[in-house]
Amino acid sequence: MKRQITIKDIALKLGLSTSTVSRALKDHPDISPKTRAAVKELAALLGYRPNRIALNLRNNSTSTIGLIIPEIEHYFFSAIINGIEEVAYKNDYSVMVFQSNESYKREVINTQAVLTNRVDGVLVSFSKETNDFSHFQKLIDNEIPVVFFDRVIDELQADQVVADDYQGAFLAVNHLIEKGCKRIAHFAAPQHLAIGKSRLSGYHDALLKHNIPFDQSLVVLADTFDSARKSAHDILRRPDYPTGFFAVNDMAAIAIIKEAKHLGLRVPEDIKVVGFENSKSAAISEPELTTVDQFGFELGREACQLLLKRLKNEENETSFKPIKKVIKTRLVVRSST
Amino acid sequence: MKRQITIKDIALKLGLSTSTVSRALKDHPDISPKTRAAVKELAALLGYRPNRIALNLRNNSTSTIGLIIPEIEHYFFSAIINGIEEVAYKNDYSVMVFQSNESYKREVINTQAVLTNRVDGVLVSFSKETNDFSHFQKLIDNEIPVVFFDRVIDELQADQVVADDYQGAFLAVNHLIEKGCKRIAHFAAPQHLAIGKSRLSGYHDALLKHNIPFDQSLVVLADTFDSARKSAHDILRRPDYPTGFFAVNDMAAIAIIKEAKHLGLRVPEDIKVVGFENSKSAAISEPELTTVDQFGFELGREACQLLLKRLKNEENETSFKPIKKVIKTRLVVRSST
DNA sequence: TTACAAATTTCAATCGTTTGCACTTTAACA
DNA sequence: TGTTAAAGTGCAAACGATTGAAATTTGTAA
């Protein structure tokens, strides 16, 4: 690689010391106008760019944040990245992306990578497999600010940003009931994830509000297209199949619709379906899917803003109080209900 | 931030010099077994981690690659990132992501960011707006290896990785013809993009092969959902509307299907539609979309591998010969044709 | 004991930039 | 002309790790 122009090069050509050049470049008042002008001119001419790595070393900071995320391919996560990148960009931070691919092992390695790369802070949404969180604790022990988003855990002393899963689920189920559904199934996420729990509990309470008994047999674990399609097949073949479906994400909801149509049922006449995410696919599905908008972009923005705030107040080490931000959701009504 | 353990800390505690500690840690033969063992033990005990930034400065390399990409939210691009991250991860590289959001201005800033961050190499898919490429030339002038993927340009002395757009388009249109379509429309991407040109020319040649005259009025510029829906509306209202549609991407194809159904036309009975991308949405659409698989993941992998190869052979500066890799595509036949 | 080689270890410079302090120049005033 | 303060520059250390060369220690044989 071509050697980059350094302060030393400029100093040499001008017969100055590196200190003078350094100060001239940043308008230090000690430097005479003549010298300053000369330095700046030559710097521009040579195309001098300060070497960030040297600065990183000196300041012990990289202006980089690490992002550990299950899978970029999910619409929801890429929307979040969008929000994160937006805020990072505006604050002159760069983002390093590490995917766990929903693997705990990979995630542990990711936390190490984040450490070796000396990022200033980390944004995390952990994998479905993860139920030991000591690798994140290690980050916190190293006093690297961590903000969890979407998939969060209360046991760690760290900030959190989440969608209002409870509210969203409540809205969704309430909507199904108002549309006339008496028996409503819930396709749920694993219950060790907070989103799994909150959405189930929103579902539960919406039923309660309308005096509909909670039926455990109508709650199935299915948060992917394939598993949801299979479960939908089973449940729709029961004689007393439910007429309302609340799925934990859009993919599962779409799988339900697909399978229903496959079995000769009409949506929304025979069954009604609500998803969660408001992905691109929701608008494409046929009929278009009623869903809960999670505002992924805003969620990413909030998470990044929170992290940057922590990075700026680093001196303030007295008694860390975790902040939990909750982003309100919104029901997007379409033709599947 | 807590001060990290350095080599100096270990040296001090053991009454050694930093050089000895450094060499002991990397099994240099000069170091006596006793010393080595002692150093390693203490290093492990204290949780020593080498400071990558210091190494970056010394080696003038960051083990980081920059990725400049239009929008992460597109399935195709996130699939590519997946492939890139996979290869980077295996080779101990980290990936910094910069989105241009299809904005030329932002892209120029991204190239600067990539420079200040002193990445070792850059992977680029440029924005639709871009038709001045001097900002990329600047990267090349700085002797930073650049690999273009998907959206590429021949005028720059840089490697390229692309899907075989011509072949894919040919397959798609050939398939439509074999399914009985006589009049086939093409919803195209802007013609200053190589993908726009290649896919049009694949379309053209497939027609030619079957002696179907090329009709310019059947080629419309529409590569987004909204623009395609609008164009589909117009074209389907013509009395002599075409019965085959080849869209430059899945979103446009899905828009065509939506609009056709909206106008009371049946797919695939009345019109047949083929997309390009093989996104998740293609499998979800109703009817499921026949499309050309671009193998985004493999494309990302190839691009990253090519870049890493360049990074490894940096000494070899004699007469740079750009490499162009073409990834074969595959027609995925579903029920829209 | 001396000499010499081999085995270990340390020194010092390096990467590029910043910054407290010391130094030199300039100018002004007595 | 000498004194002194102000203005402008330079020195050197620091960030953390590496590495060629120099220095030290150790071992061995005469």
Side-chain angles (χ1 to χ4, degrees):
Chain A
M1 186 144 19
K2 202 166 72 180
R3 238 192 82 271
Q4 295 279 328
I5 302 295
T6 73
I7 262 188
K8 212 189 259 176
D9 298 321
I10 300 177
L12 222 59
K13 290 213 182 172
L14 254 36
L16 292 169
S17 71
T18 58
S19 345
T20 304
V21 174
S22 169
R23 281 190 259 253
L25 286 171
K26 34 182 44 189
D27 293 324
H28 194 286
D30 275 3
I31 304 300
S32 72
K34 274 173 301 180
T35 314
R36 176 181 335 194
V39 168
K40 286 195 170 180
E41 191 187 357
L42 185 60
L45 185 72
L46 298 178
Y48 166 77
R49 298 182 67 85
N51 185 325
R52 173 97 141 232
I53 303 175
L55 290 175
N56 290 348
L57 180 58
R58 184 161 223 283
N59 304 332
N60 197 28
S61 120
T62 53
S63 293
T64 297
I65 64 186
L67 172 61
I68 300 178
I69 204 163
E71 324 193 86
I72 290 180
E73 275 188 16
H74 266 87
Y75 173 78
F76 176 57
F77 284 125
S78 53
I80 288 179
I81 298 184
N82 240 331
I84 291 171
E85 221 257 319
E86 184 70 23
V87 173
Y89 168 76
K90 284 199 183 131
N91 290 272
D92 282 317
Y93 273 76
S94 300
V95 180
M96 272 193 182
V97 179
F98 301 89
Q99 290 188 77
S100 65
N101 289 321
E102 302 284 11
S103 145
Y104 165 71
K105 225 173 113 193
R106 177 82 172 255
E107 190 175 86
V108 172
I109 296 172
N110 285 341
T111 58
Q112 289 163 358
V114 137
L115 273 174
T116 39
N117 279 288
R118 291 296 208 271
V119 300
D120 292 349
V122 184
L123 294 167
V124 177
S125 191
F126 49 77
S127 92
K128 282 186 204 168
E129 276 184 27
T130 307
N131 46 35
D132 171 357
F133 296 90
S134 50
H135 51 308
F136 296 127
Q137 186 57 50
K138 204 171 291 168
L139 292 182
I140 297 170
D141 291 345
N142 275 285
E143 286 177 29
I144 296 176
V146 179
V147 175
F148 288 89
F149 61 90
D150 190 49
R151 312 229 185 123
V152 302
I153 173 128
D154 289 329
E155 280 67 38
L156 293 170
Q157 283 285 306
D159 297 326
Q160 305 179 359
V161 181
V162 290
D164 194 335
D165 294 302
Y166 174 87
Q167 175 230 7
F170 191 95
L171 284 176
V173 176
N174 192 62
H175 172 72
L176 284 170
I177 296 170
E178 284 175 352
K179 286 283 178 182
C181 299
K182 301 273 185 260
R183 276 172 64 73
I184 298 171
H186 176 37
F187 280 35
Q191 290 301 303
H192 70 271
L193 296 179
I195 61 162
K197 263 192 283 204
S198 308
R199 291 179 197 178
L200 175 59
S201 118
Y203 160 81
H204 178 273
D205 290 2
L207 295 181
L208 200 69
K209 179 186 156 202
H210 293 273
N211 298 314
I212 298 179
F214 175 82
D215 180 350
Q216 184 66 51
S217 77
L218 293 180
V219 176
V220 299
L221 185 78
D223 62 344
T224 63
F225 186 89
D226 290 337
S227 65
R229 178 132 198 188
K230 206 156 162 298
S231 297
H233 183 82
D234 295 341
I235 207 165
L236 286 170
R237 297 263 300 250
R238 295 190 202 164
D240 60 339
Y241 64 82
T243 56
F245 287 83
F246 167 52
V248 75
N249 61 43
D250 283 354
M251 274 302 159
I254 289 167
I256 295 169
I257 293 179
K258 281 253 170 204
E259 187 57 27
K261 290 203 289 193
H262 180 73
L263 294 174
L265 295 169
R266 291 162 308 156
V267 183
E269 293 83 354
D270 298 326
I271 68 164
K272 301 188 201 308
V273 182
V274 181
F276 208 117
E277 178 169 347
N278 196 20
S279 60
K280 289 247 171 75
S281 301
I284 280 163
S285 111
E286 197 76 29
E288 295 177 11
L289 182 68
T290 295
T291 185
V292 178
D293 193 341
Q294 281 188 90
F295 296 107
F297 183 79
E298 283 72 18
L299 206 148
R301 276 209 332 224
E302 289 287 344
C304 196
Q305 263 156 11
L306 196 49
L307 182 62
L308 292 181
K309 209 160 100 189
R310 290 289 185 193
L311 292 178
K312 271 158 201 163
N313 299 0
E314 279 224 305
E315 63 278 13
N316 174 12
E317 282 168 30
T318 53
S319 71
F320 178 88
K321 277 260 187 312
I323 295 176
K324 177 162 189 162
K325 276 228 160 138
V326 178
I327 314 280
K328 283 281 171 235
T329 58
R330 181 178 59 107
L331 187 70
V332 181
V333 178
R334 298 207 185 90
S335 36
S336 72
T337 54
Chain B
M1 187 143 18
K2 204 165 71 180
R3 240 193 80 269
Q4 295 278 331
I5 303 294
T6 73
I7 259 188
K8 212 190 260 176
D9 298 321
I10 299 177
L12 222 58
K13 291 215 180 169
L14 254 37
L16 293 169
S17 72
T18 58
S19 345
T20 306
V21 174
S22 168
R23 281 191 254 253
L25 286 171
K26 36 181 44 190
D27 294 323
H28 193 288
D30 275 3
I31 304 301
S32 72
K34 272 172 302 177
T35 314
R36 174 180 337 191
V39 167
K40 286 197 167 177
E41 191 186 357
L42 186 59
L45 185 72
L46 298 178
Y48 166 78
R49 299 181 68 83
N51 185 326
R52 174 96 142 237
I53 303 174
L55 291 175
N56 289 348
L57 179 59
R58 183 159 223 283
N59 305 334
N60 197 28
S61 119
T62 53
S63 293
T64 297
I65 64 185
L67 173 61
I68 300 178
I69 203 162
E71 324 192 87
I72 290 181
E73 276 188 14
H74 265 88
Y75 172 79
F76 176 57
F77 285 125
S78 52
I80 288 179
I81 297 184
N82 239 331
I84 291 171
E85 221 255 321
E86 183 71 22
V87 172
Y89 168 76
K90 283 201 183 128
N91 290 273
D92 281 317
Y93 274 76
S94 300
V95 180
M96 272 193 181
V97 179
F98 301 89
Q99 289 188 77
S100 66
N101 289 320
E102 300 284 11
S103 146
Y104 166 70
K105 227 174 109 192
R106 177 80 173 256
E107 188 175 270
V108 172
I109 295 172
N110 285 341
T111 58
Q112 289 163 359
V114 136
L115 272 174
T116 41
N117 278 291
R118 291 295 208 274
V119 300
D120 291 349
V122 184
L123 294 167
V124 177
S125 190
F126 49 76
S127 92
K128 281 185 203 167
E129 276 183 28
T130 307
N131 46 35
D132 171 358
F133 295 90
S134 50
H135 52 306
F136 296 126
Q137 186 57 49
K138 203 172 293 169
L139 292 182
I140 296 170
D141 290 345
N142 275 286
E143 287 178 30
I144 295 176
V146 179
V147 175
F148 288 90
F149 61 90
D150 190 49
R151 313 233 184 118
V152 303
I153 173 127
D154 289 330
E155 279 68 36
L156 293 170
Q157 284 286 305
D159 298 326
Q160 304 179 359
V161 180
V162 290
D164 194 336
D165 294 302
Y166 174 87
Q167 175 232 5
F170 191 95
L171 283 176
V173 176
N174 192 62
H175 171 72
L176 284 169
I177 297 169
E178 285 177 351
K179 285 284 177 179
C181 299
K182 301 269 183 263
R183 275 171 64 70
I184 297 172
H186 175 38
F187 281 35
Q191 291 301 302
H192 68 271
L193 295 178
I195 62 164
K197 264 192 284 209
S198 309
R199 291 180 197 177
L200 175 60
S201 119
Y203 160 82
H204 178 273
D205 289 3
L207 295 181
L208 200 70
K209 179 186 155 202
H210 293 273
N211 297 314
I212 298 178
F214 174 81
D215 179 351
Q216 184 65 53
S217 77
L218 293 180
V219 175
V220 299
L221 185 76
D223 62 344
T224 63
F225 186 89
D226 290 338
S227 65
R229 179 133 196 188
K230 206 157 164 300
S231 298
H233 182 83
D234 295 342
I235 208 167
L236 286 170
R237 297 265 298 252
R238 297 188 200 166
D240 60 338
Y241 66 82
T243 55
F245 288 82
F246 167 52
V248 75
N249 60 43
D250 283 353
M251 274 301 159
I254 289 167
I256 296 168
I257 293 180
K258 282 251 169 203
E259 187 56 27
K261 290 203 289 192
H262 180 74
L263 294 175
L265 295 168
R266 290 162 309 158
V267 184
E269 291 83 357
D270 299 325
I271 69 163
K272 301 188 203 305
V273 182
V274 180
F276 206 117
E277 178 170 345
N278 196 20
S279 60
K280 288 247 170 79
S281 301
I284 280 164
S285 113
E286 195 75 28
E288 294 176 12
L289 183 67
T290 295
T291 186
V292 178
D293 193 340
Q294 280 189 89
F295 296 106
F297 182 80
E298 282 72 17
L299 206 149
R301 276 208 332 221
E302 289 287 347
C304 195
Q305 262 155 10
L306 195 48
L307 182 62
L308 292 181
K309 209 160 103 189
R310 289 290 185 194
L311 292 179
K312 270 160 200 161
N313 298 1
E314 279 224 303
E315 62 277 15
N316 173 13
E317 282 167 30
T318 53
S319 69
F320 178 88
K321 277 258 188 313
I323 296 174
K324 177 161 188 163
K325 274 230 158 137
V326 178
I327 313 282
K328 284 279 173 237
T329 58
R330 181 179 59 109
L331 187 70
V332 181
V333 179
R334 298 208 184 90
S335 36
S336 71
T337 54

